[in-house]
mmCIF file of all heavy atoms in Angstrom:
data_model
loop_
_atom_site.group_PDB
_atom_site.id
_atom_site.type_symbol
_atom_site.label_atom_id
_atom_site.label_comp_id
_atom_site.label_asym_id
_atom_site.label_seq_id
_atom_site.Cartn_x
_atom_site.Cartn_y
_atom_site.Cartn_z
ATOM 1 N N ILE A 20 -9.237 -271.917 218.819
ATOM 2 C CA ILE A 20 -8.079 -270.953 218.893
ATOM 3 C C ILE A 20 -8.521 -269.940 219.993
ATOM 4 O O ILE A 20 -9.766 -269.840 220.487
ATOM 5 C CB ILE A 20 -7.835 -270.207 217.634
ATOM 6 C CG1 ILE A 20 -9.187 -269.344 217.166
ATOM 7 C CG2 ILE A 20 -7.455 -271.111 216.477
ATOM 8 C CD1 ILE A 20 -9.063 -268.455 216.010
ATOM 9 N N ASN A 21 -7.547 -269.256 220.585
ATOM 10 C CA ASN A 21 -7.881 -268.112 221.599
ATOM 11 C C ASN A 21 -7.750 -266.840 220.847
ATOM 12 O O ASN A 21 -6.838 -266.494 219.997
ATOM 13 C CB ASN A 21 -6.777 -268.332 222.640
ATOM 14 C CG ASN A 21 -7.017 -269.500 223.595
ATOM 15 O OD1 ASN A 21 -8.109 -269.495 224.039
ATOM 16 N ND2 ASN A 21 -6.008 -270.257 223.802
ATOM 17 N N ILE A 22 -8.773 -265.982 221.157
ATOM 18 C CA ILE A 22 -8.767 -264.617 220.566
ATOM 19 C C ILE A 22 -9.059 -263.698 221.860
ATOM 20 O O ILE A 22 -9.345 -264.196 222.877
ATOM 21 C CB ILE A 22 -9.875 -264.390 219.398
ATOM 22 C CG1 ILE A 22 -11.229 -264.762 220.121
ATOM 23 C CG2 ILE A 22 -9.580 -265.324 218.231
ATOM 24 C CD1 ILE A 22 -12.318 -264.228 219.155
ATOM 25 N N HIS A 23 -8.950 -262.407 221.487
ATOM 26 C CA HIS A 23 -9.223 -261.503 222.516
ATOM 27 C C HIS A 23 -10.551 -260.664 221.929
ATOM 28 O O HIS A 23 -10.371 -259.967 220.975
ATOM 29 C CB HIS A 23 -8.107 -260.470 222.768
ATOM 30 C CG HIS A 23 -6.897 -261.201 223.231
ATOM 31 N ND1 HIS A 23 -6.673 -261.650 224.475
ATOM 32 C CD2 HIS A 23 -5.852 -261.831 222.472
ATOM 33 C CE1 HIS A 23 -5.561 -262.334 224.591
ATOM 34 N NE2 HIS A 23 -4.969 -262.397 223.342
ATOM 35 N N LEU A 24 -11.623 -260.786 222.673
ATOM 36 C CA LEU A 24 -12.812 -260.138 222.265
ATOM 37 C C LEU A 24 -13.138 -259.046 223.383
ATOM 38 O O LEU A 24 -13.462 -259.423 224.493
ATOM 39 C CB LEU A 24 -13.887 -261.149 222.067
ATOM 40 C CG LEU A 24 -15.380 -260.622 221.754
ATOM 41 C CD1 LEU A 24 -15.193 -260.110 220.307
ATOM 42 C CD2 LEU A 24 -16.304 -261.758 221.591
ATOM 43 N N ASN A 25 -13.139 -257.862 222.901
ATOM 44 C CA ASN A 25 -13.373 -256.748 223.776
ATOM 45 C C ASN A 25 -12.592 -256.850 225.108
ATOM 46 O O ASN A 25 -13.105 -256.666 226.191
ATOM 47 C CB ASN A 25 -14.868 -256.600 224.019
ATOM 48 C CG ASN A 25 -15.644 -256.261 222.922
ATOM 49 O OD1 ASN A 25 -15.215 -255.746 221.825
ATOM 50 N ND2 ASN A 25 -16.989 -256.283 222.912
ATOM 51 N N GLY A 26 -11.310 -257.251 225.018
ATOM 52 C CA GLY A 26 -10.451 -257.216 226.084
ATOM 53 C C GLY A 26 -10.422 -258.466 226.892
ATOM 54 O O GLY A 26 -9.558 -258.615 227.705
ATOM 55 N N GLU A 27 -11.185 -259.435 226.530
ATOM 56 C CA GLU A 27 -11.343 -260.729 227.160
ATOM 57 C C GLU A 27 -10.867 -261.840 226.338
ATOM 58 O O GLU A 27 -11.242 -261.979 225.149
ATOM 59 C CB GLU A 27 -12.671 -261.031 227.640
ATOM 60 C CG GLU A 27 -13.408 -260.080 228.755
ATOM 61 C CD GLU A 27 -14.763 -260.487 229.154
ATOM 62 O OE1 GLU A 27 -15.145 -261.633 228.939
ATOM 63 O OE2 GLU A 27 -15.332 -259.542 229.751
ATOM 64 N N SER A 28 -10.093 -262.821 226.990
ATOM 65 C CA SER A 28 -9.728 -263.885 226.160
ATOM 66 C C SER A 28 -10.803 -264.760 226.030
ATOM 67 O O SER A 28 -11.515 -265.057 226.963
ATOM 68 C CB SER A 28 -8.521 -264.632 227.003
ATOM 69 O OG SER A 28 -8.022 -265.814 226.243
ATOM 70 N N ARG A 29 -11.014 -265.402 224.718
ATOM 71 C CA ARG A 29 -12.232 -266.245 224.457
ATOM 72 C C ARG A 29 -11.604 -267.524 223.627
ATOM 73 O O ARG A 29 -10.656 -267.246 222.755
ATOM 74 C CB ARG A 29 -13.198 -265.565 223.671
ATOM 75 C CG ARG A 29 -13.798 -264.405 224.288
ATOM 76 C CD ARG A 29 -14.830 -264.768 225.357
ATOM 77 N NE ARG A 29 -15.890 -265.501 224.792
ATOM 78 C CZ ARG A 29 -17.163 -265.073 224.429
ATOM 79 N NH1 ARG A 29 -17.419 -263.796 224.584
ATOM 80 N NH2 ARG A 29 -18.118 -265.911 224.020
ATOM 81 N N GLU A 30 -12.147 -268.619 223.843
ATOM 82 C CA GLU A 30 -11.763 -269.818 222.964
ATOM 83 C C GLU A 30 -12.917 -269.992 222.069
ATOM 84 O O GLU A 30 -14.066 -270.058 222.464
ATOM 85 C CB GLU A 30 -11.705 -271.073 223.873
ATOM 86 C CG GLU A 30 -10.944 -272.159 223.348
ATOM 87 C CD GLU A 30 -10.663 -273.191 224.457
ATOM 88 O OE1 GLU A 30 -11.659 -273.690 225.002
ATOM 89 O OE2 GLU A 30 -9.559 -273.432 224.592
ATOM 90 N N VAL A 31 -12.628 -269.983 220.782
ATOM 91 C CA VAL A 31 -13.543 -270.107 219.679
ATOM 92 C C VAL A 31 -13.196 -271.245 218.699
ATOM 93 O O VAL A 31 -12.025 -271.463 218.599
ATOM 94 C CB VAL A 31 -13.839 -268.864 218.848
ATOM 95 C CG1 VAL A 31 -14.340 -267.752 220.015
ATOM 96 C CG2 VAL A 31 -12.675 -268.343 218.316
ATOM 97 N N PRO A 32 -14.104 -271.587 217.854
ATOM 98 C CA PRO A 32 -13.713 -272.652 216.808
ATOM 99 C C PRO A 32 -12.776 -272.089 215.802
ATOM 100 O O PRO A 32 -12.796 -270.794 215.483
ATOM 101 C CB PRO A 32 -15.023 -273.009 216.083
ATOM 102 C CG PRO A 32 -16.055 -272.650 217.120
ATOM 103 C CD PRO A 32 -15.602 -271.493 217.877
ATOM 104 N N ALA A 33 -11.766 -272.735 215.472
ATOM 105 C CA ALA A 33 -10.867 -272.461 214.377
ATOM 106 C C ALA A 33 -11.466 -272.202 213.047
ATOM 107 O O ALA A 33 -12.504 -272.819 212.834
ATOM 108 C CB ALA A 33 -9.620 -273.260 214.331
ATOM 109 N N ASP A 34 -10.860 -271.369 212.189
ATOM 110 C CA ASP A 34 -11.253 -271.158 210.845
ATOM 111 C C ASP A 34 -12.663 -270.596 210.490
ATOM 112 O O ASP A 34 -13.229 -270.778 209.584
ATOM 113 C CB ASP A 34 -11.384 -272.612 210.080
ATOM 114 C CG ASP A 34 -9.933 -273.276 210.154
ATOM 115 O OD1 ASP A 34 -8.826 -272.499 209.904
ATOM 116 O OD2 ASP A 34 -9.824 -274.501 210.342
ATOM 117 N N LEU A 35 -13.100 -269.786 211.477
ATOM 118 C CA LEU A 35 -14.350 -269.034 211.289
ATOM 119 C C LEU A 35 -13.938 -267.685 210.539
ATOM 120 O O LEU A 35 -12.941 -267.052 210.867
ATOM 121 C CB LEU A 35 -15.000 -268.799 212.629
ATOM 122 C CG LEU A 35 -15.608 -269.848 213.397
ATOM 123 C CD1 LEU A 35 -16.163 -269.415 214.723
ATOM 124 C CD2 LEU A 35 -16.577 -270.608 212.589
ATOM 125 N N THR A 36 -14.919 -267.336 209.770
ATOM 126 C CA THR A 36 -14.732 -265.982 209.235
ATOM 127 C C THR A 36 -15.415 -265.022 210.373
ATOM 128 O O THR A 36 -16.168 -265.525 211.357
ATOM 129 C CB THR A 36 -15.699 -265.753 207.910
ATOM 130 O OG1 THR A 36 -17.036 -265.972 208.332
ATOM 131 C CG2 THR A 36 -15.162 -266.703 206.923
ATOM 132 N N LEU A 37 -15.225 -263.700 210.240
ATOM 133 C CA LEU A 37 -15.930 -262.862 211.212
ATOM 134 C C LEU A 37 -17.441 -263.082 211.138
ATOM 135 O O LEU A 37 -18.035 -263.040 212.228
ATOM 136 C CB LEU A 37 -15.583 -261.399 210.846
ATOM 137 C CG LEU A 37 -14.299 -260.848 211.407
ATOM 138 C CD1 LEU A 37 -14.193 -259.287 210.982
ATOM 139 C CD2 LEU A 37 -14.329 -260.925 212.945
ATOM 140 N N ALA A 38 -18.013 -263.257 209.961
ATOM 141 C CA ALA A 38 -19.495 -263.219 209.883
ATOM 142 C C ALA A 38 -19.941 -264.712 210.534
ATOM 143 O O ALA A 38 -20.839 -264.739 211.326
ATOM 144 C CB ALA A 38 -19.840 -263.439 208.460
ATOM 145 N N ALA A 39 -19.181 -265.743 210.436
ATOM 146 C CA ALA A 39 -19.490 -266.955 211.138
ATOM 147 C C ALA A 39 -19.188 -266.843 212.659
ATOM 148 O O ALA A 39 -19.982 -267.510 213.492
ATOM 149 C CB ALA A 39 -18.615 -268.142 210.478
ATOM 150 N N LEU A 40 -18.217 -266.135 213.016
ATOM 151 C CA LEU A 40 -18.069 -265.912 214.495
ATOM 152 C C LEU A 40 -19.163 -265.206 215.165
ATOM 153 O O LEU A 40 -19.608 -265.568 216.304
ATOM 154 C CB LEU A 40 -16.728 -265.164 214.674
ATOM 155 C CG LEU A 40 -16.454 -264.784 216.117
ATOM 156 C CD1 LEU A 40 -16.159 -265.938 217.001
ATOM 157 C CD2 LEU A 40 -15.230 -263.746 216.217
#
Side-chain angles (χ1 to χ4, degrees):
I20 61 171
N21 287 310
I22 63 169
H23 302 277
L24 180 62
N25 292 347
E27 294 184 16
S28 182
R29 300 284 300 258
E30 196 170 65
V31 300
D34 300 322
L35 292 180
T36 63
L37 273 180
L40 175 66

